[in-house]
Amino acid sequence: MSTVDLPNSNSGLHGALTVPGDKSISHRSIMLGAISHGTTTVDHFLLSDDCLHTIGAFRELGVKIDVDGDHVSIEGKGGFRNFDKPKKPLDMGNSGTSTRLLLGLLANQPFDIAMFGDASLSKRPIKRVSDPLTQMGAKVAATNGNFLPLTLHPNDGLNGIDYKLPVASAQVKSALIWAGLQAETPSHLTEKLITRNHTEKMLEQFGGHLEQDGLNITVTPQSDFTAQHVTVPGDISSAAFFLIAGACVPGSEITLNKVGLNDTRDGILKALDQMGAQYTINNRTNDSEPMGDITICYQQLNALTLGAADVPALVDEIPLLALAATQAKGQTVITGAEELRVKETDRIATVTEELTKMGADITATPDGFIINGGTKLHAANTPLQSHGDHRIGMMMAVANLMADGDNQLADADAIAVSYPQFFDDLKSLNK
Ligand code: S3P
């Protein structure tokens, strides 16, 4: 629970950086590797607390996983039902992605599997996954029907499901894809809005096949996947901290190399376009997961309007866009973002509380924010708080680059959930 002094910036950020691997893709590479035939190798894997919990869970299930720097190899079990019975409950730490996706992937085991998480994760809803899984025949015994700790019990086989997802969530969609692959009949899923499609793309790379038509996905039972080599792009959600710093801290010009540019994840770039930011993308590659180098420089930004349809492609970047809006010209209105209330923290509440401490004119609404821009942020009277939420901690560090005066960040350790070397990378650009 460390408290750190946050750096200011004198002349902006300069230089180039390769951000760590994408968190969503890193998790999925372990999962697909674990169920495939053969040895999957992964480069630029994200070695953060969240992904280490996914690795820990599969090791407990008897999967051999070697980690050498950011290179990981996974000896696949060749199917969904070849795991070893775990000797202890699986520890999900702070990781919502591990929990929700593993619920689907492990929904059909011949033995009990117990799962638990930290205090924050234990408050996050899992009914959104356990309800449809139960309809498919899974047996999920969750605390108060909606929370960790939980136990997955053996069942009599899964049946396919016709399901309209009530929330726009890639975690729920992915869990149902994993379960649908193990069912006896096909499943038809209808998304509320298009969400990140990393599971679908990686499944295809490993020899799987889904039928997709806009919001509709048909999952046909299938369990034969072949090990692959996966190169994980830089995480656009991690690059976003520097994109916003580059756009908002006067004097900045930075390049972020090999950033993932999947069009279900690049909403931050579209938001920056709307705000009038100046950036270019070079060296684009178009493999299964596209990537490119983004160069961005300081520019006075304009206000932003975001609605529900925009949210899934930038859901994790909204705290940062709220910060950028405090520096923009005019009034920013963000609606349709009620999912932020069930992230690692209630991010509508924590963003408002922390930015208000620094003088921002920001009002929380049930599903978003109203922010009047053009504020000079200042030192808060008390230390800023991450509230144990990695993205809030990093957002406040970026806010301090734009502030007059000094701030401290309490509970800064939370940042290791997705970006353990964040402060070193920030230092390398903030010279
Ligand atoms: C993720 C999906 C998103 C995102 C999370 C990672 C994923 O959550 O916020 O950080 O890897 O599928 P939801 O599916 O709940 O929107």
Side-chain angles (χ1 to χ4, degrees), residues 22-28 50 96-98 100-101 124 128 167-175 195-199 235 237 265 311-312 314-317 339-340 342-344 347 390-391:
D22 187 279
K23 183 158 79 67
S24 296
I25 297 173
S26 295
H27 281 300
R28 287 157 171 83
D50 263 17
T97 307
S98 312
R100 271 77 172 259
L101 269 64
R124 296 181 63 190
R128 50 180 56 199
V167 284
S169 165
Q171 293 180 351
V172 178
K173 171 181 65 175
S174 301
T195 61
R196 64 189 69 190
N197 61 3
H198 304 304
T199 303
D235 195 327
S237 298
R265 282 288 296 285
V311 169
L314 47 65
V315 63
D316 293 336
E317 287 66 76
E339 272 296 297
L340 294 194
V342 290
K343 293 293 176 189
E344 285 80 335
R347 288 183 176 157
H390 54 132
R391 298 202 198 281

Side-chain angles (χ1 to χ4, degrees), residues 74-384:
I74 308 126
E75 280 182 29
K77 287 281 191 183
F80 284 98
R81 281 171 67 92
N82 298 332
F83 296 121
D84 298 347
K85 181 175 173 359
K87 293 190 184 64
K88 52 182 202 279
L90 306 182
D91 179 359
M92 300 289 113
N94 187 251
S95 180
T97 307
S98 312
T99 307
R100 271 77 172 259
L101 269 64
L102 284 189
L103 266 173
L105 196 144
L106 299 174
N108 193 27
Q109 296 301 310
F111 37 70
D112 277 357
I113 296 188
M115 288 183 195
F116 69 101
D118 71 6
S120 148
L121 187 60
S122 305
K123 287 191 213 132
R124 296 181 63 190
I126 50 117
K127 220 174 178 351
R128 50 180 56 199
V129 183
S130 59
D131 267 359
L133 287 179
T134 304
Q135 288 177 41
M136 295 176 80
K139 293 208 160 63
V140 190
T143 303
N144 297 327
N146 198 16
F147 302 101
L148 292 178
L150 62 79
T151 304
L152 277 165
H153 297 296
N155 55 61
D156 300 326
L158 299 179
N159 46 266
I161 189 172
D162 275 0
Y163 193 67
K164 206 168 164 196
L165 277 74
V167 284
S169 165
Q171 293 180 351
V172 178
K173 171 181 65 175
S174 301
L176 298 181
I177 291 175
W178 292 139
L181 292 167
Q182 303 173 67
E184 277 146 31
T185 51
S187 296
H188 304 283
L189 309 176
T190 306
E191 287 203 85
K192 188 171 176 189
L193 294 164
I194 300 277
T195 61
R196 64 189 69 190
N197 61 3
H198 304 304
T199 303
E200 297 90 309
K201 279 181 171 265
M202 202 181 286
L203 198 59
E204 194 175 312
Q205 188 193 345
F206 279 68
H209 179 66
L210 299 172
E211 270 170 53
Q212 281 184 270
D213 178 15
L215 296 170
N216 300 306
I217 304 174
T218 301
V219 188
T220 310
Q222 205 175 341
S223 60
D224 266 343
F225 304 105
T226 309
Q228 298 289 316
H229 177 70
V230 177
T231 301
V232 182
D235 195 327
I236 192 165
S237 298
S238 299
F241 296 100
F242 300 110
L243 288 173
I244 295 301
C248 296
V249 182
S252 298
E253 177 165 358
I254 54 172
T255 298
L256 302 160
N257 294 321
K258 297 189 175 162
V259 178
L261 296 173
N262 179 314
D263 61 4
T264 62
R265 282 288 296 285
D266 67 355
I268 178 87
L269 298 178
K270 290 175 184 132
L272 283 168
D273 287 338
Q274 196 192 134
M275 297 178 95
Q278 278 188 16
Y279 68 87
T280 52
I281 301 179
N282 294 305
N283 303 323
R284 271 183 191 267
T285 54
N286 243 339
D287 295 335
S288 156
E289 289 286 355
M291 51 182 130
D293 303 340
I294 309 175
T295 299
I296 191 159
C297 59
Y298 169 76
Q299 166 77 30
Q300 171 62 55
L301 298 181
N302 300 316
L304 175 70
T305 304
L306 289 179
D310 304 310
V311 169
L314 47 65
V315 63
D316 293 336
E317 287 66 76
I318 294 177
L320 273 166
L321 288 167
L323 166 63
T326 69
Q327 305 304 297
K329 246 190 272 170
Q331 186 178 71
T332 288
V333 180
I334 302 176
T335 56
E338 60 275 6
E339 272 296 297
L340 294 194
R341 295 211 178 266
V342 290
K343 293 293 176 189
E344 285 80 335
T345 56
D346 173 345
R347 288 183 176 157
I348 294 181
T350 48
V351 165
T352 305
E353 181 181 337
E354 296 307 310
L355 287 177
T356 301
K357 283 185 187 169
M358 295 178 80
D361 181 350
I362 175 167
T363 305
T365 64
D367 63 346
F369 305 93
I370 299 170
I371 302 154
N372 293 309
T375 306
K376 187 70 206 162
L377 299 176
H378 57 63
N381 295 329
T382 53
L384 302 170

